[in-house]
Amino acid sequence: MTDPPAESQRTARPDGQPREDGVKDVDRAAELRADLVEKLRAEGKIVSPAVEAAFRAVARERFLPSDVPLETAYAYDDAVVTKRDEHGVALSSVSAAYIQARMLEQAELRPRATVLEIGSGGLNAALIAEIVGPQGRVVSVDIDPEVTDRAAKLLDEAGYGSRVRVLVADAEHGVPNEGRIDAIIVTVGAWDIPPALLAQLADEGTLVLPLIMNGVTRTIGFRREGDHLVSTSVEVAGFVPMQGAGRHPERVFVLTDPNGKQVKLRFDSGVPADMSPLDAVLATERTEAWSGVTIPHRTSFADLYLWFAWHLPGFCLLTVDDGTELANERGTWFPFGAVRGGGFAYLAIRPAMEGAGVEFGARAYGHDRELAAMALVKQIRAWDRDGRHAEPVFGYWPAGTDVTRIPADAAVMDKTHGVVTISWPAP
């Protein structure tokens, strides 16, 4: 493990210019870094001494834009965007501390390992370098040369330049001149797993990636089990989507209300063949249906919309314009819905449990609104019965493997290079 950069080095901003009150910044950063590590340990995101030591050694602020406050650099769950396109869409970012820590734990890194990081930024590669040690090998790739140039510069300034090889490459095609890799950590949203990456993964290696499944992302740790992969860990997180050959564009359908405001339905897959029955749907009467399924306040229900993504035909994500009826009712619904014929429904909540929680239900528009609402309610009840109290297990079966061995109770989702499966253990 390398020594932390010297105090005089850590007073520099990521752009190489001295910070004002550098000594004060160094002291404050050290204090915030220690606090962050304790928070990550308390929340179970850091569980190993190696990941803890890496987080104590690496100065996060050195890899962030110079105008980012130290409090943001050392926040538990703040991601920082480092590049946007001309429309303001994030193209590259530094992940929140909690998901960086969790993914490093998922990868089960060890000293002397060779690790491939897909999606460069510098900070995560420095953390990996600390864990694998001076005799380990870290390769960080990104499709954007502007991103790799920045990452290489920051790594060099922080003392990791000789420890991390930064390359411009489209990871869909693998990484040239690299042999078998002990661990692959993907830090961008991936719709599929490229065969070239699997070919480079060592037989006993680990793959950690944010896998997009019908619009819902889970960061999954995988290991090989014969000819396929089986999950060893799962984390909820969102990521900037993959660019290049592995990019999977979503389809967006626009619904316009009587005032000209828009609700957009975003489909990852399973797009209904005919969306014309939803023309002028927002001008129709709205209905509600309630499930009887309740949940206390401040309790995660992230697996509910994962369940929808796998079991609800016509599943989609919603974005809404200010001024729409939905926008005016924010706080009473969530942006997950489904289309059924001439109706579309979305997940809604209302107070329950004598004010200590909420009940899940659906609101719906269109001449098939009752059908759409009840489809959603049916799956809320199914999740409550079969998926609410168990962590799902994922599998990935590359094309050419024996899919007849997929467990009978598993749901299957087709991808370009194989299929993903999910199973919820019996309650």
Side-chain angles (χ1 to χ4, degrees):
M1 191 174 302
T2 59
D3 294 329
E7 292 292 290
S8 60
Q9 291 178 303
R10 284 186 285 155
T11 62
R13 302 187 316 207
D15 59 9
Q17 299 301 312
R19 291 183 184 271
E20 295 181 4
D21 300 322
V23 174
K24 184 185 296 184
D25 278 353
V26 168
D27 292 343
R28 179 63 176 151
E31 177 185 347
L32 291 170
R33 188 155 54 250
D35 290 344
L36 174 61
V37 170
E38 293 309 313
K39 172 74 170 175
L40 292 168
R41 292 181 60 203
E43 296 294 329
K45 305 305 181 185
I46 288 180
V47 297
S48 68
V51 174
E52 178 181 344
F55 267 76
R56 292 191 186 278
V58 177
R60 297 180 67 83
E61 70 274 17
R62 299 206 56 163
F63 297 91
L64 300 176
S66 58
D67 59 350
V68 174
L70 285 174
E71 287 73 16
T72 301
Y74 288 99
Y76 176 81
D77 58 358
D78 283 356
V80 176
V81 175
T82 54
K83 183 177 180 180
R84 297 183 184 273
D85 68 11
E86 65 274 18
H87 305 294
V89 177
L91 297 177
S92 184
S93 66
V94 176
S95 298
Y98 88 90
I99 191 60
Q100 286 184 320
R102 181 69 173 119
M103 291 178 75
L104 293 174
E105 295 286 9
Q106 288 180 286
E108 302 174 14
L109 304 179
R110 63 183 186 275
R112 300 172 181 265
T114 297
V115 183
L116 170 63
E117 178 196 37
I118 298 172
S120 294
L123 174 55
N124 201 56
L127 292 166
I128 296 170
E130 286 287 342
I131 296 171
V132 301
Q135 296 183 9
R137 180 168 174 77
V138 184
V139 180
S140 180
V141 304
D142 199 287
I143 198 170
D144 187 338
E146 185 176 321
V147 171
T148 55
D149 286 349
R150 177 182 181 275
K153 177 176 181 290
L154 297 179
L155 284 162
D156 189 55
E157 291 173 353
Y160 296 97
S162 64
R163 303 272 300 282
V164 181
R165 181 186 181 206
V166 182
L167 301 174
V168 178
D170 186 339
E172 186 77 7
H173 308 302
V175 182
N177 304 316
E178 292 291 339
R180 302 284 268 180
I181 296 167
D182 298 309
I184 299 173
I185 301 176
V186 183
T187 62
V188 289
W191 195 81
D192 200 359
I193 303 176
L197 283 187
L198 283 183
Q200 288 192 273
L201 182 66
D203 291 341
E204 300 299 322
T206 55
L207 169 65
V208 179
L209 83 165
L211 188 61
I212 302 169
M213 297 164 288
N214 202 9
V216 175
T217 302
R218 290 294 180 271
T219 298
I220 306 174
F222 281 114
R223 278 194 178 275
R224 294 187 191 274
E225 189 170 291
D227 61 355
H228 65 286
L229 305 176
V230 176
S231 65
T232 57
S233 58
V234 181
E235 182 66 49
V236 178
F239 281 81
V240 172
M242 184 84 71
Q243 300 179 58
R247 180 175 178 267
H248 179 81
E250 62 185 8
R251 295 187 62 186
V252 179
F253 292 89
V254 177
L255 308 178
T256 304
D257 73 7
N259 298 316
K261 302 296 184 179
Q262 295 182 342
V263 173
K264 297 180 178 68
L265 308 185
R266 298 161 44 211
F267 293 88
D268 173 78
S269 56
V271 184
D274 184 10
M275 293 290 288
S276 63
L278 293 183
D279 290 346
V281 70
L282 295 178
T284 65
E285 181 182 353
R286 188 176 71 181
T287 192
E288 296 182 353
W290 298 96
S291 67
V293 176
T294 60
I295 194 165
H297 290 312
R298 293 179 294 278
T299 302
S300 173
F301 55 92
D303 277 354
L304 172 57
Y305 48 90
L306 179 66
W307 181 278
F308 286 162
W310 281 84
H311 296 286
L312 183 61
F315 175 77
C316 59
L317 306 180
L318 279 63
T319 55
V320 303
D321 281 353
D322 289 338
T324 58
E325 186 175 17
L326 275 73
N328 295 334
E329 297 176 350
R330 282 193 175 99
T332 68
W333 59 275
F334 295 90
F336 310 103
V339 171
R340 280 289 193 285
F344 100 90
Y346 56 94
L347 179 64
I349 55 172
R350 66 181 180 183
M353 304 172 69
E354 298 183 348
V358 296
E359 178 186 4
F360 293 117
R363 298 191 183 112
Y365 292 90
H367 63 78
D368 287 329
R369 55 187 175 273
E370 289 86 1
L371 180 66
M374 288 311 300
L376 207 66
V377 166
K378 177 183 177 182
Q379 292 305 328
I380 294 170
R381 292 170 176 161
W383 166 77
D384 183 55
R385 181 185 67 244
D386 298 327
R388 180 172 181 172
H389 304 292
E391 182 171 297
V393 176
F394 295 90
Y396 184 83
W397 301 71
T401 54
D402 184 5
V403 295
T404 64
R405 296 189 295 108
I406 293 175
D409 64 345
V412 177
M413 185 178 293
D414 290 331
K415 295 290 184 177
T416 303
H417 305 300
V419 298
V420 182
T421 62
I422 188 171
S423 304
W424 271 268

